[in-house]
Amino acid sequence: MKFSNYSLLSLFYGLIIASFTGSMFAQSTDEVVLNQHPKWLVSSDRFNKSRFTIVTGSLAVSYSAALVGLNELWYKDFPRSSFHFINDIKEWQQIDKAGHVVTPYLEARYIMQTFQWAGLDSRKAAIWGGFTAFMFQNTIEVFDGFSAEWGASGSDLAANFLGAAIMTGQELLWNEQRMSLKVMPHFFRYDDPELQQRADELYGTNYIVRFVKDYNAINVWASINTASFFPSQRRLKWLNIAVGYGAGGMFGGYSNEWIDEQGIYHDRRDVVRYRKLYLSLDVDFHRIPTRSRYLRLLFDALNIIKVPAPAIEFNTKGQVLFHPLI
């Protein structure tokens, strides 16, 4: 059984790089003078070799640390093999593939901002941000490809490319992100003790682990800013419409059958595996006006997650459900 390693790099790059690079978010000179912020917080208006060295060096260190961390935390205890591919497109109702789209999107967005901080023009920063994120994510496939337990996934590679391309493409087309990709889990417990025990074994028991592993709880969102498409919208320019995707009833990668540690076979094919489509509201924190450099930093970090809000769920069980908060 292969858990998508999206979980590890999503946590490492999506949050760690976000908090680091968020401090380099562009700010106008007028705001800096008004708030007397340190000059190093402001993006350079021309190529700055020293800053570029800092950026490339930091990315190299982060990348090296990720390689060591991935090997130590995930791969070293599993047997190696010659490089090979597997076809896992049908696994986990494609929730892991959605994760492989969101993660490089977030990486690309924040890496682009570091390049802008170093003075690269917007187009070059967007292209190099997308390319760097795509290559970072592909490292996972190299590890998987040499692991006897798993294998490189062509569909993961395609999802990685799509996520990076969504970020870069929007910058090249509009010079802004009119659609942001986000994540937000929706945790719950099962009344059936057998299913709860299986979920604990698969997805973990604490919220941090479940945030990156629980495919029944992870929802991915496309958060669309309507004001960027309709300039006549003068109010609530930060308010977005969010379309989400999730899945449920999954207690195995492909089916709800498993053999536990005692060798006992469990057949829970009575539990329906299904997909969920959500419609909700969200906030684009980048568009909330503020002159505070430090509040902008907080907003930049918060823009990774979808803000909990009322939502309508349409699922493949034929249900239409209302969630007061999701």
Side-chain angles (χ1 to χ4, degrees):
M1 177 182 60
K2 173 178 179 277
F3 274 113
S4 166
N5 293 322
Y6 139 69
S7 55
L8 286 179
L9 278 194
S10 178
L11 185 63
F12 184 84
Y13 285 119
L15 300 181
I16 301 302
I17 286 185
S19 61
F20 171 72
T21 60
S23 65
M24 300 174 182
F25 194 83
Q27 186 177 46
S28 72
T29 303
D30 290 340
E31 289 178 344
V32 176
V33 173
L34 186 61
N35 290 277
Q36 297 181 340
H37 293 308
K39 291 183 178 180
W40 70 270
L41 285 174
V42 187
S43 295
S44 177
D45 58 1
R46 61 177 60 86
F47 180 74
N48 186 309
K49 185 176 180 180
S50 297
R51 289 188 177 191
F52 187 75
T53 300
I54 292 173
V55 169
T56 54
S58 298
L59 290 174
V61 170
S62 299
Y63 182 67
S64 299
L67 291 180
V68 174
L70 277 171
N71 185 66
E72 291 297 315
L73 295 174
W74 198 279
Y75 292 100
K76 74 173 185 178
D77 295 328
F78 294 96
R80 309 285 179 166
S81 70
S82 59
F83 189 84
H84 62 288
F85 279 88
I86 60 170
N87 182 4
D88 62 348
I89 186 64
K90 295 182 180 180
E91 195 174 28
W92 301 113
Q93 304 270 62
Q94 292 79 50
I95 289 294
D96 60 326
K97 306 307 172 194
H100 274 280
V101 174
V102 174
T103 304
Y105 169 84
L106 292 173
E107 292 172 11
R109 184 167 184 171
Y110 291 111
I111 292 172
M112 174 190 67
Q113 290 176 5
T114 66
F115 285 131
Q116 291 174 337
W117 177 79
L120 264 66
D121 70 69
S122 296
R123 292 182 65 85
K124 288 182 179 179
I127 292 171
W128 280 107
F131 177 76
T132 304
F134 176 59
M135 295 308 296
F136 273 10
Q137 283 299 115
N138 289 343
T139 302
I140 298 175
E141 300 310 317
V142 175
F143 273 111
D144 281 349
F146 284 108
S147 173
E149 186 79 8
W150 302 297
S153 167
S155 54
D156 284 356
L157 289 170
N160 292 339
F161 177 80
L162 178 60
I166 288 173
M167 194 292 298
T168 299
Q170 290 188 85
E171 289 295 324
L172 297 181
L173 183 61
W174 298 312
N175 199 33
E176 64 177 348
Q177 297 294 300
R178 297 186 178 184
M179 179 184 71
S180 300
L181 301 186
K182 302 185 178 186
V183 294
M184 189 63 189
H186 182 217
F187 299 119
F188 47 86
R189 293 187 61 83
Y190 304 95
D191 295 330
D192 188 321
E194 182 183 24
L195 296 182
Q196 186 60 57
Q197 181 178 357
R198 175 61 171 170
D200 291 344
E201 294 171 354
L202 279 178
Y203 306 129
T205 56
N206 68 71
Y207 286 129
I208 294 177
V209 174
R210 292 181 65 192
F211 181 86
V212 297
K213 272 191 173 184
D214 192 344
Y215 290 140
N216 287 326
I218 294 173
N219 298 317
V220 296
W221 296 85
S223 183
I224 303 167
N225 183 255
T226 56
S228 62
F229 288 99
F230 303 101
S232 59
Q233 180 181 334
R234 299 181 181 275
R235 295 182 179 180
L236 303 180
K237 292 186 176 182
W238 46 263
L239 185 63
N240 285 14
I241 294 176
V243 179
Y245 174 68
M250 297 181 293
F251 298 93
Y254 294 96
S255 69
N256 292 337
E257 301 172 85
W258 68 92
I259 298 176
D260 64 24
E261 295 179 353
Q262 288 72 42
I264 300 174
Y265 169 69
H266 297 258
D267 185 351
R268 293 308 307 266
R269 285 177 290 181
D270 59 299
V271 178
V272 177
R273 299 165 66 91
Y274 65 102
R275 306 172 192 274
K276 298 177 280 188
L277 185 68
Y278 297 104
L279 185 63
S280 183
L281 297 175
D282 188 33
V283 173
D284 187 343
F285 287 96
H286 286 148
R287 298 177 188 273
I288 296 179
T290 179
R291 291 182 175 181
S292 168
R293 180 69 209 104
Y294 305 103
L295 189 57
R296 175 60 59 202
L297 169 60
L298 174 62
F299 285 168
D300 205 44
L302 288 175
N303 230 35
I304 292 175
I305 62 173
K306 188 263 182 192
V307 172
I312 300 175
E313 172 190 330
F314 306 88
N315 63 49
T316 54
K317 293 194 294 186
Q319 298 172 321
V320 179
L321 305 175
F322 175 76
H323 299 276
L325 211 61
I326 194 170

